[in-house]
Amino acid sequence: ASTLGASAAEKGRYYGTAIAAGRMGDSTYMTIANREFNMITAENEMKMDATEPSQGRFTFTNGDRIVNWALSNGKRVRGHTLAWHAQQPGWMQSMSGSALRNALINHVTQVASYYRGKVYAWDVVNEAFADDGRGSRRDSNLQRTGNDWIEAAFRAARAADPGAKLCYNDYNTDGINAKSTAVYNMVRDFRSRGVPIDCVGFQAHLGTSLPSDFQANLQRFSDLGVEVQLTELDIQQGSNQANMYAQVTNACLAVARCTGITVWGVRDSDSWRTGANPLLFDASGNKKPAYTSVLNALNAG
Ligand code: G3I
């Protein structure tokens, strides 16, 4: 096929992007997004600070703009994210203990209920592990409510939207290392105890080389019975960018339960990684060699 989304669909996968509500008036941006992608993540608009700016008062205006555009154009939505140490509203940042735990569960319940039936998969919990080389939980106000905060969030999400796939999402988990192994052990534990979890998102914010065990890492999670997805892919531009995009695509295609790839933005100029030019379209909206590399990989075989 001739677009990323259609080519991925022929392989039983999706190809997605992150959309920012503030760019939806840009016709070049919207034309590319609508043509190429069939899974949509709101870059910021469904996060905790955006959806519950004051406690108990929920705002879905910008999230709805993205979700409604996606659904009315035949795309699916990845919800991002119900629980995170970052981008908490101010009122939540200063909370602790059982009041915070209750506020968290209420947030998960309200947001997942509001979007019930519209979200294919939720990043229920984002970035809960540390980068300390020992696989520790990240210290945060949420973690300090008790180690079971992650499973409590997953159970609340399942109750609120039984039809959505529930994912754990993190970065620096793309190869086999202490952090990804800690996530792996958590997922294995959840599956053995019946805590609802369906998928693991690997953000895949990559530099100029790919971990040699990238595919093996996806495979070991897939072997636990969960789907795996690349959720925020971007790759530092260098001599190797197009080739790395092909390798990443091929790794997903080689893992049976790798169900899709999302790039974290449309054009290089839309990326959070200023100066890295890490995406598939240049600032003018032209297809880069990395784009052709992904399309060819999706269409091979
Ligand atoms: O919209 C406000 C604007 O009104 C204000 O004037 C301006 C001043 O700072 O800030 C704007 O908000 C910014 C927002 O992006 C929209 O551009 C925030 O400051 C800025 O912090 C926010 O950054 C986002 C970042 O998450 C926050 O942690 C990035 O866009 C977004 O790409 C990034 O995405 C994360 C994923 O959610 C999780 N994984 C890592 C990834 C990259 O950091």
Side-chain angles (χ1 to χ4, degrees):
S2 62
T3 66
L4 300 173
S7 299
E10 289 178 353
K11 294 283 161 60
R13 269 81 173 179
Y14 65 78
Y15 211 97
T17 192
I19 291 291
R23 300 184 199 275
M24 291 181 79
D26 178 332
S27 64
T28 303
Y29 178 83
M30 293 305 281
T31 298
I32 297 169
N34 198 18
R35 184 186 71 217
E36 296 290 340
F37 301 103
N38 54 12
M39 182 71 73
I40 299 297
T41 307
E43 188 173 0
N44 289 295
E45 293 77 359
M46 293 164 77
K47 294 173 179 175
M48 303 178 97
D49 58 350
T51 52
E52 197 178 359
S54 58
Q55 189 171 10
R57 189 177 65 79
F58 291 84
T59 61
F60 298 108
T61 314
N62 284 325
D64 282 348
R65 289 178 63 201
I66 294 173
V67 169
N68 292 338
W69 172 79
L71 297 180
S72 64
N73 285 285
K75 306 173 193 311
R76 290 181 292 176
V77 171
R78 186 182 189 90
H80 177 78
T81 176
L82 294 171
W84 191 17
H85 69 277
Q87 278 183 286
Q88 292 181 5
W91 62 266
M92 184 180 279
Q93 291 174 29
S94 56
M95 287 182 84
S96 64
S98 58
L100 174 59
R101 174 65 70 91
N102 291 338
L104 169 71
I105 298 306
N106 185 56
H107 181 86
V108 170
T109 300
Q110 297 300 322
V111 176
S113 297
Y114 179 83
Y115 284 111
R116 179 167 48 226
K118 296 184 174 178
V119 170
Y120 164 74
W122 267 109
D123 290 331
V124 177
V125 171
N126 193 40
E127 302 176 3
F129 284 84
D131 294 293
D132 62 356
R134 300 198 313 265
S136 309
R137 290 286 184 89
R138 176 193 297 277
D139 180 51
S140 72
N141 60 344
L142 296 173
Q143 179 63 30
R144 290 191 292 271
T145 69
N147 207 49
D148 63 341
W149 73 276
I150 298 179
E151 62 192 84
F154 274 84
R155 291 188 200 278
R158 180 69 97 220
D161 186 355
K165 293 182 187 294
L166 305 182
C167 310
Y168 176 78
N169 191 54
D170 215 327
Y171 67 91
N172 285 349
T173 50
D174 311 306
I176 296 179
N177 55 42
K179 188 175 182 180
S180 64
T181 297
V183 175
Y184 176 87
N185 289 336
M186 178 186 75
V187 174
R188 193 177 50 184
D189 171 56
F190 280 13
R191 301 285 288 184
S192 74
R193 290 192 294 113
V195 177
I197 185 166
D198 307 301
C199 34
V200 177
F202 300 84
Q203 294 185 10
H205 295 297
L206 299 170
T208 52
S209 70
L210 192 66
S212 59
D213 45 17
F214 181 82
Q215 183 179 319
N217 189 48
L218 298 179
Q219 186 65 56
R220 70 172 174 157
F221 280 86
S222 175
D223 290 343
L224 291 175
V226 289
E227 292 184 12
V228 297
Q229 292 123 6
L230 308 178
T231 54
E232 304 180 15
L233 175 64
D234 48 20
I235 302 176
Q236 167 84 42
Q237 182 155 289
S239 53
N240 207 24
Q241 186 183 49
N243 182 45
M244 277 180 67
Y245 263 106
Q247 289 178 260
V248 166
T249 309
N250 288 331
C252 181
L253 291 174
V255 173
R257 272 188 279 269
C258 183
T259 53
I261 301 175
T262 292
V263 286
W264 204 239
V266 176
R267 300 161 300 193
D268 285 337
S269 49
D270 303 315
S271 173
W272 69 293
R273 294 172 71 178
T274 311
N277 295 321
L279 295 173
L280 302 176
F281 294 86
D282 70 18
S284 304
N286 300 307
K287 296 170 179 173
K288 293 167 59 182
Y291 171 92
T292 307
S293 173
V294 171
L295 189 68
N296 288 344
L298 290 172
N299 284 327

